[in-house]
């Protein structure tokens, strides 16, 4: 599988190097997740007799919001090519109460995996699908004419016409031969892109209807039944699609997607997806501290009972159990679970002992400093400054940030986090949006081209009043 190849080529040190391209600092967390990812490949390559006994070392990330917990898990899954889902523990409720049951995270993960595998398979047959689509578009533009059996009197002339020799006489050619020559001319135009704007009518599958979800432990969701599939089966005998008129450039993409889906083996895709979920799946449980008991509170109210109930429902999933999905049974024994929480009020030890034991690796992430903010704005491939530069570049305007400006932005972000509330790197989003609001509004009406330099003076001018006015800082920054 592709996943195994990626993991084989990336050692823990290389995985950390890849994470460094997008995430600043947090070396301990990166080391832990890199080892966990490499161990998954090591398990798959181990002796089959002991392979099933090797369980993943689930990770519990502890740290304030906005320091990179979610981003580390997301990038890790991307590196592995593994099915990945992020869920919030606070969205689940104890069995018997209104809300989502914990098994739904595995069902959602399986749905994602099936879509992922199908997309990979479709990509592999895209070239063949494109050939089929070209013929279909040609059939729409110039419908083929069936060749008639030639009579003895004109057999010589038709063979000459069919061969395309110099002595071809259109008056002696059959309709089928003239049609084929016209089709060849149009096929050449299609390949050259001369007909991209020409509109054609195609049939589009009308299978993509909104999905109806049934929540609750006794609902169809737990039974692995999808109402969309049920309704689709009922209507399958009726109209299969709808007619749409599109330019050939757009119609081709729609038709290639439909043809590629027909070419893939859907059963094989589901089986591969199930295998990938069970051996490569990663579930990121955010806000797990929200379902921990408050050690400072001695009361055992309804909320306290419900939180413990969610933990007890989580326990069998994390320990290893079987979950019914609409695609088949999924065993969770070798899914990697990464828990995450700020643990401001509660502590990891406030989780029930059994659940604590299922997260043996504890990693504490550090709060971000002013220097970290500077590095976040300047070093990663997806730095916010680079994102804004790319956006305005689409309108023909170039924005340059001086080093002094970036350091001032980092200083302001650190200050506001101290004075208002520490939301980590997310503070940079609010700071930059306020800094560039006037500029982004002026493009392209007042500024349609040229270069704009953002220096320290511009930063001070745009943000100084917001930072010094504490009331405004609370609401705006």
């Amino acid at each position: 599988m592709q996943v195994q190849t990626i993991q084989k080529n990336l050692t823990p040190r290389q995985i950390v190097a890849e994470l460094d391209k997008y995430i600043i600092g947090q070396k301990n967390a990166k080391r832990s997740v890199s080892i966990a990812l490499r161990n998954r490949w090591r398990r798959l390559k181990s002796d089959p007799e002991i392979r099933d006994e090797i369980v993943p070392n689930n990770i519990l990330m502890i740290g304030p919001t906005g320091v990179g917990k979610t981003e580390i898990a997301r990038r890790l899954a991307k590196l592995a090519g593994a099915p990945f889902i992020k869920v919030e523990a606070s969205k689940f409720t104890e069995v018997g109460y209104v809300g989502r049951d914990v098994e739904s995270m595995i069902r959602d993960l399986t749905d994602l995996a099936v879509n992922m595998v199908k997309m990979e398979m479709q990509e592999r047959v895209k070239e063949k699908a494109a050939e089929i689509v070209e013929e279909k578009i040609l059939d729409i533009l110039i419908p083929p004419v069936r060749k008639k059996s030639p009579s003895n009197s004109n057999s010589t002339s038709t063979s000459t016409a069919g061969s395309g020799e110099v002595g071809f006489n259109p008056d002696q050619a059959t309709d089928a031969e003239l049609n084929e020559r016209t089709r060849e001319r149009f096929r050449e135009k299609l390949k050259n892109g001369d007909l991209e704007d020409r509109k054609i009518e195609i049939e589009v599958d009308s299978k993509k209807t909104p999905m109806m979800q049934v929540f609750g432990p006794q609902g169809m969701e737990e039974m692995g039944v999808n109402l969309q599939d049920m309704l689709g089966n009922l209507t399958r005998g009726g109209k299969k699609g709808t007619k749409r008129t599109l330019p050939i450039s757009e119609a081709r993409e729609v038709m290639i997607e439909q043809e590629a889906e027909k070419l893939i083996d859907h059963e094989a895709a589901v089986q591969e997806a199930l295998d990938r979920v069970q051996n490569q799946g990663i579930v990121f449980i955010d806000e797990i501290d929200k379902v921990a008991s408050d050690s400072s509170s001695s009361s055992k109210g309804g909320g306290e009972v419900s939180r413990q109930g969610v933990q007890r429902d989580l326990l069998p999933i994390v320990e290893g159990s079987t979950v019914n999905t609409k695609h088949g049974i999924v065993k969770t024994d070798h899914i990697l679970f990464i828990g995450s929480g700020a643990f401001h009020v509660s502590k990891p030890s406030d989780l029930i002992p059994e659940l604590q034991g299922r997260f043996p690796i504890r990693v504490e992430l550090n709060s971000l400093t002013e220097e970290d903010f500077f590095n976040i704005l300047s070093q990663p491939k997806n730095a916010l400054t680079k994102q804004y530069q790319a956006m305005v570049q689409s309108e023909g305007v170039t924005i340059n940030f001086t080093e002094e400006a970036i350091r001032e932005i980092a200083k302001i972000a650190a200050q506001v986090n101290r004075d208002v509330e520490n939301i980590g790197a997310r503070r940079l989003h609010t700071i930059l949006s306020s800094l560039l609001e006037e500029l982004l509004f002026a493009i392209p009406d007042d500024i349609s081209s040229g270069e704009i330099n953002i220096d320290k003076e511009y930063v001070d001018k745009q943000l100084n009043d917001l930072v010094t006015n504490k009331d405004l800082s609370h609401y705006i920054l």
Side-chain angles (χ1 to χ4, degrees), residues 231-342:
L231 294 174
N233 290 333
L234 292 174
T235 58
R236 201 161 288 165
K239 190 176 181 180
K240 293 183 179 179
T242 56
K243 299 285 187 180
R244 290 185 64 188
T245 302
L246 297 169
I248 287 178
S249 59
E250 296 179 25
R252 183 186 291 109
E253 295 301 318
V254 175
M255 294 172 73
I256 286 177
E257 183 181 345
Q258 293 180 170
E259 288 301 321
E261 188 171 356
K262 294 175 185 176
L263 290 172
I264 66 174
D265 186 339
H266 289 266
E267 186 61 32
V270 169
Q271 291 306 312
E272 184 177 342
L274 290 174
D275 179 70
R276 209 178 277 195
V277 167
Q278 294 177 128
N279 294 294
Q280 309 290 337
I282 299 176
V283 176
F284 183 79
I285 307 175
D286 200 8
E287 296 185 350
I288 199 169
D289 56 319
K290 298 295 194 334
V291 296
S293 303
D294 184 358
S295 58
S296 62
S297 175
S298 59
S299 63
K300 297 288 182 183
E304 185 80 10
V305 173
S306 180
R307 284 195 293 269
Q308 288 199 7
V310 174
Q311 292 183 60
R312 297 197 181 280
D313 290 343
L314 278 170
L315 184 59
I317 304 295
V318 180
E319 279 187 330
S321 61
T322 56
V323 176
N324 288 321
T325 75
K326 67 181 180 182
H327 305 288
I329 292 176
V330 172
K331 294 182 178 180
T332 67
D333 303 66
H334 300 289
I335 293 176
L336 177 65
F337 291 88
I338 302 177
S340 165

Side-chain angles (χ1 to χ4, degrees), residues 403-475:
E403 182 178 334
E404 291 76 15
I406 295 176
R407 289 200 175 276
E408 186 65 18
I409 295 169
K411 178 182 175 182
I412 291 171
Q415 179 184 337
V416 176
N417 270 353
R418 284 193 304 269
D419 297 343
V420 180
E421 185 179 356
N422 189 356
I423 59 172
R426 292 187 178 92
R427 182 68 65 190
L428 295 173
H429 288 269
T430 57
I431 296 287
L432 275 174
S433 64
S434 298
L435 172 68
L436 300 175
E437 180 181 12
E438 185 178 318
L439 184 62
L440 294 174
F441 185 79
I443 299 174
D445 295 321
D446 302 328
I447 305 171
S448 56
S449 62
E451 289 192 11
I452 298 172
N453 292 319
I454 306 294
D455 54 19
K456 183 177 182 300
E457 287 71 26
Y458 184 85
V459 175
D460 289 337
K461 176 186 174 185
Q462 296 297 115
L463 298 178
N464 187 53
D465 289 341
L466 291 179
V467 175
T468 54
N469 189 325
K470 299 301 180 186
D471 291 334
L472 281 177
S473 296
H474 274 278
Y475 289 104

Side-chain angles (χ1 to χ4, degrees), residues 89-347:
S90 56
K91 293 292 195 268
F92 298 107
T93 60
E94 184 182 3
V95 171
Y97 292 83
V98 177
R100 300 207 74 180
D101 66 292
V102 294
E103 290 187 353
S104 64
M105 69 172 76
I106 305 301
R107 286 190 283 270
D108 292 342
L109 182 67
T110 307
D111 289 341
L112 289 171
V114 170
N115 290 334
M116 177 192 298
V117 173
K118 284 184 177 180
M119 286 177 66
E120 291 175 7
M121 287 184 167
Q122 287 176 16
E123 195 63 32
R124 291 197 287 267
V125 299
K126 205 167 186 179
E127 189 174 335
K128 185 177 180 181
E131 295 174 1
I132 297 173
V133 166
E134 182 180 282
E135 288 301 314
K136 288 196 170 187
I137 292 176
L138 205 58
D139 290 345
I140 295 173
L141 293 171
I142 310 294
V145 174
R146 291 186 178 182
K147 290 184 179 180
K148 298 178 181 179
S149 299
S151 62
N152 292 333
S153 61
N154 62 359
S155 58
T156 304
S157 62
T158 54
S159 62
T160 304
S163 62
E165 293 179 357
V166 177
F168 168 67
N169 184 351
D171 295 332
Q172 296 179 341
T174 65
D175 290 342
E177 290 166 341
L178 291 172
N179 176 267
E180 185 58 34
R181 286 177 173 272
T182 305
R183 284 172 63 87
E184 285 301 319
R185 288 198 300 271
F186 271 78
R187 182 180 281 110
E188 194 65 28
K189 288 184 177 182
L190 276 176
K191 289 181 177 178
N192 295 335
D194 299 334
L195 304 174
E196 294 298 280
D197 296 330
R198 184 162 180 171
K199 293 187 176 182
I200 58 174
E201 186 180 68
I202 63 171
E203 189 175 83
V204 180
D205 292 342
S206 57
K207 62 178 181 179
K208 295 183 179 179
T209 54
M211 186 180 293
M212 296 177 64
Q213 291 181 313
V214 180
F215 299 119
Q218 301 302 319
M220 288 185 180
E221 185 187 32
E222 187 180 52
M223 296 164 60
V225 176
N226 188 308
L227 286 182
Q228 183 183 7
D229 292 343
M230 293 172 61
L231 294 174
N233 290 333
L234 292 174
T235 58
R236 201 161 288 165
K239 190 176 181 180
K240 293 183 179 179
T242 56
K243 299 285 187 180
R244 290 185 64 188
T245 302
L246 297 169
I248 287 178
S249 59
E250 296 179 25
R252 183 186 291 109
E253 295 301 318
V254 175
M255 294 172 73
I256 286 177
E257 183 181 345
Q258 293 180 170
E259 288 301 321
E261 188 171 356
K262 294 175 185 176
L263 290 172
I264 66 174
D265 186 339
H266 289 266
E267 186 61 32
V270 169
Q271 291 306 312
E272 184 177 342
L274 290 174
D275 179 70
R276 209 178 277 195
V277 167
Q278 294 177 128
N279 294 294
Q280 309 290 337
I282 299 176
V283 176
F284 183 79
I285 307 175
D286 200 8
E287 296 185 350
I288 199 169
D289 56 319
K290 298 295 194 334
V291 296
S293 303
D294 184 358
S295 58
S296 62
S297 175
S298 59
S299 63
K300 297 288 182 183
E304 185 80 10
V305 173
S306 180
R307 284 195 293 269
Q308 288 199 7
V310 174
Q311 292 183 60
R312 297 197 181 280
D313 290 343
L314 278 170
L315 184 59
I317 304 295
V318 180
E319 279 187 330
S321 61
T322 56
V323 176
N324 288 321
T325 75
K326 67 181 180 182
H327 305 288
I329 292 176
V330 172
K331 294 182 178 180
T332 67
D333 303 66
H334 300 289
I335 293 176
L336 177 65
F337 291 88
I338 302 177
S340 165
F343 288 97
H344 289 313
V345 178
S346 58
K347 304 188 298 293

Side-chain angles (χ1 to χ4, degrees), residues 318-378:
V318 180
E319 279 187 330
S321 61
T322 56
V323 176
N324 288 321
T325 75
K326 67 181 180 182
H327 305 288
I329 292 176
V330 172
K331 294 182 178 180
T332 67
D333 303 66
H334 300 289
I335 293 176
L336 177 65
F337 291 88
I338 302 177
S340 165
F343 288 97
H344 289 313
V345 178
S346 58
K347 304 188 298 293
S349 58
D350 293 326
L351 294 168
I352 60 175
E354 299 91 337
L355 192 58
Q356 288 183 52
R358 301 310 300 177
F359 290 91
I361 299 178
R362 308 284 174 85
V363 181
E364 189 166 350
L365 285 82
N366 304 317
S367 296
L368 300 174
T369 64
E370 182 179 321
E371 186 64 23
D372 289 331
F373 286 141
F374 173 75
N375 292 331
I376 289 170
L377 287 170
S378 54

